[in-house]
Amino acid sequence: MLGFLKGLSVTLSQLPKKKVTIQYPDVQPEWPERFRGVHRFIPEDCTVCNQCARICPTNCISLSGTRDENKKLRIDTYDINFDICILCGLCTEVCPTECILMSDTFELANESRDKLYLDMHWLYENQLRYTQRHPERVAQEAAKDHEEAPAT
Amino acid sequence: MWQWQTQPLTWSTFLAMLIGTVVILLLALGVVTYGILAERKVLGWMQGRIGPNRVGPFGLLQTVADVLKLFIKEDVVPAAADRPLFLLAPVLAFVPAFMALAVIPFSMQHIFTAGIGTGLLYYLALSALTIHGVMLGGWASNNKYSLIGGMRSAAQMLSYEVPLGLSLVGVALLAGSLNLNDVVRAQQHLGLWFIIPQFLGFCVFIVAATAELNRTPFDLPEAESELVAGYHTEYSGFRWAFFMLTEYVYLFAMAGLTATLFLGGWSGPWLPGWLWFALKAAAFFFFQFWLRNTMPRIRADQLMTLCWKVLLPLGLVNLVLTAVLKAVLLKG
Amino acid sequence: MDERDVVRTEEMLLNVGPQHPSTHGVFRLIVKISGETILDAEPVIGYLHRGTEKLAENLQYTQIIPYTDRLDYLAAMLNNYALCHTVEQALGVEIPERAEYLRVIVMELQRIASHLLFIGAYLMDLGAMGPFLYAFQERERIVQMFNEICGARLTYNYMRIGGVRWDAPPGWLDQVREFIPYMRERLKMYDDLITGNEIFLNRVRGVGKYDTETALAYGLSGINLRCTGLEWDLRRKKPYSIYDRFDFEIPVGKNGDCFDRYYLHLLEMRESLKIVEQAIEQIPSGPVLGKVPKLIRVPAGEYYSGIEGARGEIGFYIVSDGKDKPYRLKIRKPSFVNLQLLPELLRGESMSNLLAILGAVDIVLGEVDA
């Protein structure tokens, strides 16, 4: 008969509890290392293998490159259309040199769809921003690269 | 000049009345403003959130900003609506709700409000009038959800007037007066708040009052998950604000009534009378917010069953018990 | 009585949705009512149709996985698994032990998260505000754990054919271990808050009743079937993954009404916790991705396997012509199937029961429309 009183006592007991929300624009959420936000890109590592563009389920990556004087492929353009990108992270998985990576930038809202078409420069700047925010993570990545390099 | 209730009507007493009305209006607006903020804060706290805190310190100006936004919104009248009635409905709803405040004794002396001898009846009569505004609003909108909402609220508010009135009779019987100030004095004289000798009546009253206010768990007329927004689905801008204002002014009036009838009104030790009154009214407010966070909505068909098959008999039993109590204990 | 004396009333067509506070997405229900009695109801779906099945025909198997996240977006892990499981069955690949355990842990956590949201949203439909936000507090913890293991909060893309994408990060399993007692305590709180509430009971008891025959005739699965008393859970009946190693119960209802459907969600969360607890104790170390060719070619043929999703049997039916892309992919979407009973359930009911019934069917429009 008086089951609802139990419910009332439950809600009352929640009143003094610590609040679980964060003051979002003032306090940024902490994202874990694996968080898949907007991509970051390191142009000098790219070998223009085109694997990322091929694995992309939505075909949102387009890239082009040319051979330089040493016959090595250099990346010229690298665009990601974030209008259709679903941030699945498959491109980062197949990249042999780990030059396309995910960052923790997540605020993609924009007034125009054109602004969601992000090129190599923006993506590289995003990498620089990421380095600034998480120097320890980038250093870790570099150390891992260094470790793996002699083995291959 | 302030004793205008007993004076013949002259220009100066009329002026006093006018000032009194404006003061009460401002008071009501202030209570509504901060009542809404308190509701959002309390709900937030109960849900592990902070509640509004952006506009002004601790979000104190949040409601002000919201109201300001409502006032500068375009006044939209749907093309298919019954225009005159649509425009009239919010006013019709608001006026009686505000008028009901006239008999609430905020402190020992009726400074700005009327101490009429039939205060209780006056309150009941006026609170029933609000239904017209609500129903007209639902009808005039020419929207199916509004219509259902309006009809439901008419049925609900009319039905619950009966147990509400019955539960008040017990109090009136015990106090021996319909004047609200006399009811408070009776409680002071008895040295006991009526919530104790009238506990059954209080239970009936609080359920009926919640239903009258259209608040959870009786918020069927505006059940947002079923009827979008019930009778005020088509309203926006300041007309919608009027409906909201009605609701909260009515909540304020009901809080005042509860405090007066069952919690001893302005009477209490140490603190000034108006503060006691405010505290008791605030307790009623808090209770309503608390309910809102906990309770699911009652079903429409069970609403009537509860009213006629549970509350009405309980109210009658309470009336008989009170009469017997008064005849045996107080006289004997 | 003479016919002229009877007050003539007209039937009213009421459009519930596609923009309505409690259709849980873009779902439209055309209801024909007479007074407050529902004469007929017709669900209109397709507002969220994205052509997942057709799109899949042009995608490699690995590429389909992120698309499955977007079917039932409240239980993406289970969708991930359903696809991977079907492809793995077709390929006959060996899945490392640790990967299997990780999969079970995330799948059961996902089931809890999904059921939590059901309870919150259902109570919201019935007008109670609190439980919705309480449910989100626990769900947030699960989602945050998923975020740490796979880098996304909703569209996980965590499983791969032959295993999982990542191993658990350091300390992650301890987090899950700590979560279990916390969640148990919160479940008790839900019991106090909701299950005993008379108003709630009056709204859901005996409402939207159907029996096992009807449920089977309509092909219902999951809680919608178990609430009628039939013990049918694919985890038990057709054990996939490593579910045969765990000790858990299949709660079943008695009456097949909305209350049973609600209460089974609560009970199932308890069982899921049990599974997670056991899985954490048993989890071995080792690799998390089996040996799979880089380009997955499913041998020509037709394959189907279904798993127990959060809403019922979610299955993928693959027709392959031996290429790296499916020739045809058909998804058995539990919400879609469960929805078919709705018009029949609503006919003759009172308007005020509409949302109690609709909410208890527990549809996710991403899955219904695919």
Side-chain angles (χ1 to χ4, degrees):
Chain A
M1 171 63 204
L2 295 173
F4 69 92
L5 290 180
K6 236 187 202 170
L8 282 173
S9 72
V10 167
T11 40
L12 192 65
S13 71
Q14 298 290 325
L15 186 65
K17 281 214 176 131
K18 201 172 164 286
K19 309 297 167 241
V20 294
T21 47
I22 57 163
Q23 296 282 301
Y24 161 56
D26 307 337
V27 183
Q28 288 284 328
E30 268 299 312
W31 296 121
E33 206 175 329
R34 292 173 184 178
F35 183 71
R36 301 201 305 260
V38 181
H39 300 74
R40 56 201 164 96
F41 182 62
I42 310 164
E44 51 262 40
D45 288 357
C46 183
T47 56
V48 201
C49 65
N50 208 26
Q51 283 200 57
C52 48
R54 258 185 297 154
I55 195 77
C56 179
T58 60
N59 287 325
C60 67
I61 304 178
S62 52
L63 53 91
S64 68
T66 46
R67 287 188 190 279
D68 64 359
E69 57 273 20
N70 301 330
K71 293 274 167 77
K72 250 183 101 183
L73 272 168
R74 287 268 163 209
I75 191 85
D76 284 338
T77 61
Y78 193 96
D79 302 317
I80 300 183
N81 182 2
F82 281 98
D83 208 357
I84 54 176
C85 176
I86 55 175
L87 297 170
C88 64
L90 287 176
C91 46
T92 62
E93 217 174 307
V94 296
C95 183
T97 59
E98 295 195 356
C99 67
I100 179 87
L101 294 156
M102 306 303 257
S103 75
D104 60 357
T105 310
F106 62 98
E107 287 149 323
L108 263 177
N110 238 321
E111 312 92 59
S112 160
R113 292 192 167 200
D114 299 345
K115 292 182 184 162
L116 289 172
Y117 212 80
L118 299 177
D119 63 359
M120 192 163 79
H121 302 292
W122 191 94
L123 292 169
Y124 183 56
E125 272 163 31
N126 197 27
Q127 156 74 10
L128 296 180
R129 279 197 293 272
Y130 188 80
T131 317
Q132 222 166 40
R133 272 201 303 271
H134 305 288
E136 74 296 336
R137 287 185 193 172
V138 178
Q140 218 174 1
E141 273 168 26
K144 220 174 75 191
D145 281 355
H146 197 70
E147 219 170 83
E148 279 168 6
T152 44
Chain B
M1 180 171 157
W2 303 113
Q3 295 301 313
W4 44 268
Q5 290 157 30
T6 48
Q7 306 288 321
L9 186 67
T10 61
W11 279 111
S12 81
T13 49
F14 178 74
L15 188 69
M17 275 184 204
L18 203 65
I19 292 172
T21 314
V22 170
V23 168
I24 293 299
L25 180 65
L26 289 179
L27 177 73
L29 287 178
V31 168
V32 168
T33 309
Y34 286 98
I36 292 175
L37 183 73
E39 169 157 34
R40 294 174 64 179
K41 279 280 189 193
V42 168
L43 280 181
W45 289 336
M46 280 187 176
Q47 293 163 352
R49 300 184 288 120
I50 304 165
N53 67 342
R54 293 277 158 173
V55 192
F58 307 106
L60 282 176
L61 298 176
Q62 180 66 48
T63 318
V64 180
D66 288 345
V67 170
L68 208 64
K69 172 232 167 201
L70 285 174
F71 274 117
I72 58 175
K73 264 182 99 164
E74 188 191 349
D75 179 25
V76 183
V77 180
D82 188 336
R83 202 181 158 86
L85 287 184
F86 187 84
L87 302 186
L88 189 66
V91 183
L92 267 186
F94 175 68
V95 170
F98 175 62
M99 279 166 72
L101 281 179
V103 287
I104 306 290
F106 296 110
S107 65
M108 202 187 302
Q109 282 83 32
H110 270 289
I111 295 182
F112 297 119
T113 51
I116 48 177
T118 52
L120 213 50
L121 285 181
Y122 171 86
Y123 180 95
L124 274 178
L126 277 171
S127 72
L129 278 180
T130 306
I131 304 167
H132 297 96
V134 167
M135 220 183 118
L136 275 183
W139 169 260
S141 301
N142 200 4
N143 174 312
K144 289 163 184 170
Y145 289 115
S146 300
L147 184 64
I148 298 177
M151 290 299 170
R152 272 190 185 179
S153 80
Q156 177 180 334
M157 289 168 93
L158 276 177
S159 309
Y160 277 84
E161 283 283 316
V162 180
L164 187 77
L166 262 182
S167 66
L168 297 186
V169 175
V171 173
L173 208 61
L174 218 53
S177 167
L178 285 173
N179 186 322
L180 290 173
N181 233 355
D182 287 349
V183 174
V184 177
R185 279 201 200 95
Q187 293 180 62
Q188 218 174 10
H189 179 69
L190 195 65
L192 201 65
W193 291 353
F194 280 163
I195 183 172
I196 297 162
Q198 282 288 313
F199 188 70
L200 193 60
F202 177 73
C203 291
V204 174
F205 172 82
I206 205 89
V207 175
T210 313
E212 279 286 293
L213 292 170
N214 293 336
R215 291 190 64 88
T216 320
F218 301 99
D219 55 346
L220 295 125
E222 45 199 295
E224 83 269 1
S225 60
E226 296 168 35
L227 300 177
V228 189
Y231 59 86
H232 52 62
T233 304
E234 293 287 349
Y235 281 91
S236 71
F238 72 94
R239 291 185 201 285
W240 182 80
F242 255 88
F243 273 125
M244 274 332 254
L245 197 61
T246 308
E247 214 160 277
Y248 281 88
V249 167
Y250 201 19
L251 177 65
F252 177 40
M254 203 57 101
L257 196 67
T258 316
T260 309
L261 294 183
F262 292 100
L263 302 175
W266 40 257
S267 70
W270 308 306
L271 297 173
W274 60 268
L275 194 59
W276 270 115
F277 183 87
L279 281 177
K280 288 162 184 172
F284 181 83
F285 269 76
F286 178 78
F287 179 70
Q288 290 293 341
F289 304 155
W290 185 17
L291 270 184
R292 178 163 173 206
N293 190 39
T294 315
M295 292 297 188
R297 190 171 300 120
I298 199 162
R299 208 166 80 198
D301 48 342
Q302 288 162 352
L303 185 80
M304 292 298 147
T305 317
L306 179 70
C307 177
W308 297 110
K309 290 191 181 161
V310 180
L311 291 183
L312 194 65
L314 276 182
L316 284 170
V317 166
N318 176 59
L319 185 59
V320 173
L321 281 181
T322 314
V324 170
L325 194 80
K326 180 148 180 161
V328 175
L329 287 181
L330 296 181
K331 287 278 162 67
Chain C
M1 219 193 291
D2 192 17
E3 201 170 300
R4 272 169 302 173
D5 297 338
V6 183
V7 180
R8 284 181 60 86
T9 53
E10 272 178 49
E11 288 161 4
M12 185 155 87
L13 268 186
L14 193 65
N15 246 320
V16 182
Q19 278 137 17
H20 185 277
S22 50
T23 48
H24 300 243
V26 273
F27 172 66
R28 180 174 170 215
L29 195 65
I30 304 172
V31 199
K32 198 198 261 178
I33 51 175
S34 159
E36 289 244 342
T37 316
I38 298 169
L39 298 178
D40 203 3
E42 187 195 336
V44 182
I45 59 169
Y47 292 95
L48 202 60
H49 180 63
R50 289 146 300 171
T52 309
E53 289 178 2
K54 190 71 192 167
L55 278 169
E57 290 170 18
N58 275 314
L59 294 170
Q60 291 166 16
Y61 289 101
T62 317
Q63 289 178 323
I64 305 172
I65 300 172
Y67 279 89
T68 63
D69 286 338
R70 283 146 181 92
L71 289 172
D72 178 353
Y73 38 73
L74 298 179
M77 286 288 186
L78 292 152
N79 304 343
N80 275 192
Y81 181 77
L83 175 71
C84 293
H85 183 60
T86 316
V87 179
E88 280 155 12
Q89 293 274 316
L91 291 170
V93 290
E94 191 85 8
I95 296 120
E97 282 281 287
R98 190 174 172 83
E100 287 280 26
Y101 275 97
L102 278 175
R103 280 177 171 192
V104 167
I105 292 171
V106 292
M107 278 199 290
E108 291 309 317
L109 285 177
Q110 178 75 85
R111 200 184 306 276
I112 295 169
S114 171
H115 284 1
L116 269 175
L117 201 76
F118 163 81
I119 287 181
Y122 191 46
L123 266 290
M124 191 79 158
D125 282 352
L126 297 181
M129 229 181 148
F132 187 68
L133 285 124
Y134 296 147
F136 262 83
Q137 288 176 20
E138 284 95 73
R139 187 170 174 272
E140 178 65 23
R141 274 186 75 156
I142 298 178
V143 164
Q144 207 55 48
M145 285 194 278
F146 284 164
N147 197 0
E148 266 166 51
I149 201 170
C150 67
R153 290 163 53 88
L154 200 65
T155 50
Y156 308 113
N157 190 16
Y158 178 56
M159 307 215 183
R160 292 288 178 275
I161 288 141
V164 293
R165 168 78 176 95
W166 311 84
D167 196 352
W172 190 81
L173 289 171
D174 294 323
Q175 267 189 52
V176 180
R177 204 169 282 139
E178 280 161 29
F179 174 75
I180 295 168
Y182 164 76
M183 188 65 213
R184 288 226 165 98
E185 198 184 297
R186 296 288 283 197
L187 283 178
K188 216 179 288 152
M189 184 200 92
Y190 286 114
D191 232 358
D192 287 346
L193 178 60
I194 306 163
T195 315
N197 191 309
E198 286 80 15
I199 295 177
F200 173 72
L201 290 179
N202 276 330
R203 280 204 73 170
V204 293
R205 266 226 179 110
V207 170
K209 256 175 133 163
Y210 51 84
D211 55 8
T212 315
E213 281 78 58
T214 324
L216 287 174
Y218 277 88
L220 304 192
S221 53
I223 286 175
N224 280 297
L225 176 60
R226 285 195 290 277
C227 71
T228 63
L230 185 70
E231 191 192 339
W232 181 262
D233 189 314
L234 291 175
R235 289 177 291 179
R236 186 53 64 71
K237 295 289 174 192
K238 288 183 187 168
Y240 52 91
S241 191
I242 46 167
Y243 275 108
D244 46 355
R245 298 183 199 172
F246 304 115
D247 168 42
F248 63 99
E249 321 236 312
I250 312 290
V252 289
K254 275 201 297 276
N255 307 317
D257 56 5
C258 289
F259 175 77
D260 278 3
R261 265 163 268 164
Y262 151 78
Y263 201 55
L264 284 185
H265 279 92
L266 211 60
L267 293 178
E268 275 201 4
M269 280 197 263
R270 250 169 231 162
E271 300 306 318
S272 290
L273 281 177
K274 255 194 230 169
I275 299 175
V276 175
E277 200 171 29
Q278 292 168 49
I280 285 200
E281 292 316 313
Q282 297 173 12
I283 187 164
S285 53
V288 290
L289 198 58
K291 285 195 169 42
V292 231
K294 204 158 188 194
L295 196 61
I296 294 152
R297 281 182 219 277
V298 172
E302 297 180 9
Y303 309 93
Y304 175 81
S305 79
I307 66 154
E308 186 67 32
R311 281 165 188 76
E313 177 181 348
I314 172 153
F316 282 79
Y317 183 81
I318 296 172
V319 182
S320 172
D321 51 1
K323 298 211 181 84
D324 59 342
K325 291 165 185 168
Y327 176 75
R328 170 84 169 91
L329 181 78
K330 170 83 182 79
I331 309 163
R332 189 209 187 271
K333 300 162 286 185
S335 293
F336 177 75
V337 179
N338 292 348
L339 187 61
Q340 307 312 314
L341 186 58
L342 187 67
E344 168 129 352
L345 271 185
L346 287 179
R347 231 162 269 152
E349 282 286 350
S350 143
M351 238 335 246
S352 43
N353 283 339
L354 170 74
L355 283 159
I357 295 172
L358 174 63
V361 173
D362 192 13
I363 47 167
V364 169
L365 268 297
E367 187 173 73
V368 173
D369 295 343

